[in-house]
Amino acid sequence: MKFLIINGPNLNLLGRREPGIYGQENYESLCQRLRAFAAAHGSTAECFQSNHEGAIIDAIHAADGVYDAIIMNPGAFTHYSYAILDALKAVGVPCVEVHISNVHQREEFRHKSVTAPACVGQVCGLGLYGYEAAMGYFLDQKD
Ligand code: DQA
């Protein structure tokens, strides 16, 4: 399978950003881990990160017909980006939404995802393992 891993705002700061919540591992290490996980399953994973809503929308559009699945952590855009919701609905690539932290144990505004309705499902609170769990879901579906 061809996976596109999209990470939204501030996730480039993984390892430095609130490590008590998001852990010590940095963004590049996460990408290496996901590429290795994909390769171990006869698949590929490309990582894309942006702090800009429009760039994420462009990446979702460009994924259509190119990738088999999107794994996306939209960061704070999760909670208010109807434009990302619409972009996911506009393309034929299935997406699983990932949150590193358990958003339901945090501030009220993080409890709501406006983007999840356009996703197959959502993983939250499992740390960086959540990205692999999401990939594992798609790999199981394929078998
Ligand atoms: C996050 C949770 C969001 O509420 C937050 O804005 C993030 C990261 C997570 O992975 O837990 O940037 O998506």
Side-chain angles (χ1 to χ4, degrees), residues 58-111:
D58 288 344
I60 294 168
H61 292 177
D64 209 10
V66 176
Y67 294 94
D68 299 309
I70 296 172
I71 312 295
M72 177 160 64
N73 182 346
F77 287 143
T78 304
H79 313 301
Y80 63 92
S81 178
Y82 299 111
I84 291 177
L85 169 73
D86 284 348
L88 288 170
K89 285 182 171 175
V91 300
V93 190
C95 178
V96 166
E97 181 167 301
V98 173
H99 299 289
I100 298 164
S101 64
N102 184 340
V103 287
H104 302 290
Q105 292 174 342
R106 301 180 65 197
E107 302 96 317
E108 188 82 31
F109 77 89
R110 297 188 202 274
H111 299 182

